[in-house]
Amino acid sequence: MRLFTALRPSEEAVRHLAGTIASLDPVRVSEVTAGLRGFRFTAAERWHLTLRFHGDDADPQEVADRLDRRLARVATGPLSLRLSGAGAFRGVLWAGVEPATDGDRRALRALVGAAGGDPTRFRAHLTVARWSAGRADRRSVAGLLAGYRGPWWTAGELAVMRSDLGGSAPVHRVVHRAPLTREESG
């Protein structure tokens, strides 16, 4: 079991991106990924933004309790995001994440900190494809989704998730939900 804290996109955002991927020209995808061994798009039901990976030995209850304590000190409230643009790094094609406002950008970074991550090193992204070997022309691979702009969605909770390895792909399960609430003034 691996444990991580994540922000999950809305069903509408997932459907939109999945539809865009399904409509990609298969010939172009084959040309762009020809030198990449094991290239495959990831299953939409596993899409998430990892805010913090806690490792294989983390206790789910301790992680959940720590997240709840930290979130109680951070007034982030629901935030507006959309999947936008794309990039690639070793073995991964990802969709970028665009906050609607500077306040949403700050809130996202605060959530990374509350999850135990480093907000200064965090790059919000959603993994949409992986490959096991081969040198990618990152610009060409990212070009498959470079102009992508998805619908805005409101993120209202974080999830502590476990990833059980085995079979052909990991299975992700939510073990704790942490709602995002904004402190009321006055």
Side-chain angles (χ1 to χ4, degrees):
M1 174 188 75
R2 293 180 174 181
L3 206 64
F4 58 94
T5 298
L7 189 66
R8 297 185 310 162
S10 70
E11 289 181 19
E12 178 188 11
V14 168
R15 275 193 308 273
H16 192 274
L17 179 56
T20 298
I21 290 170
S23 69
L24 291 174
D25 177 6
V27 172
R28 181 166 179 249
V29 172
S30 292
E31 290 171 353
V32 168
T33 63
L36 306 179
R37 189 168 51 241
F39 181 89
R40 70 213 174 276
F41 286 102
T42 57
E45 62 269 10
R46 292 197 326 259
W47 287 349
H48 63 274
L49 287 68
T50 301
L51 303 184
R52 173 72 155 87
F53 177 68
H54 302 288
D56 296 332
D57 298 326
D59 177 82
Q61 191 59 54
E62 288 178 17
V63 170
D65 291 346
R66 186 171 46 246
L67 177 64
D68 288 343
R69 282 192 308 273
R70 290 176 176 167
L71 281 177
R73 296 189 304 257
V74 177
T76 58
L79 62 154
S80 294
L81 304 167
R82 75 173 171 183
L83 300 173
S84 178
F89 50 79
R90 194 172 87 184
V92 171
L93 167 63
W94 49 265
V97 178
E98 178 184 351
T101 67
D102 285 340
D104 290 323
R105 185 177 320 285
R106 286 188 299 274
L108 181 57
R109 295 215 179 273
L111 293 178
V112 171
D118 181 353
T120 63
R121 298 185 59 192
F122 179 72
R123 171 136 192 159
H125 69 279
L126 184 144
T127 299
V128 295
R130 293 185 178 278
W131 58 92
S132 56
R135 293 189 71 107
D137 175 348
R138 291 181 182 181
R139 185 176 297 163
S140 295
V141 172
L144 292 171
L145 294 171
Y148 180 75
R149 299 291 179 268
W152 294 101
W153 90 88
T154 300
E157 71 176 18
L158 295 184
V160 176
M161 301 181 74
R162 64 182 282 168
S163 179
D164 294 307
L165 304 176
S168 62
V171 175
H172 295 161
R173 291 185 180 88
V174 175
V175 297
H176 179 72
R177 295 177 193 283
L180 306 180
T181 57
R182 188 176 306 275
E183 290 180 7
E184 298 296 327
S185 59

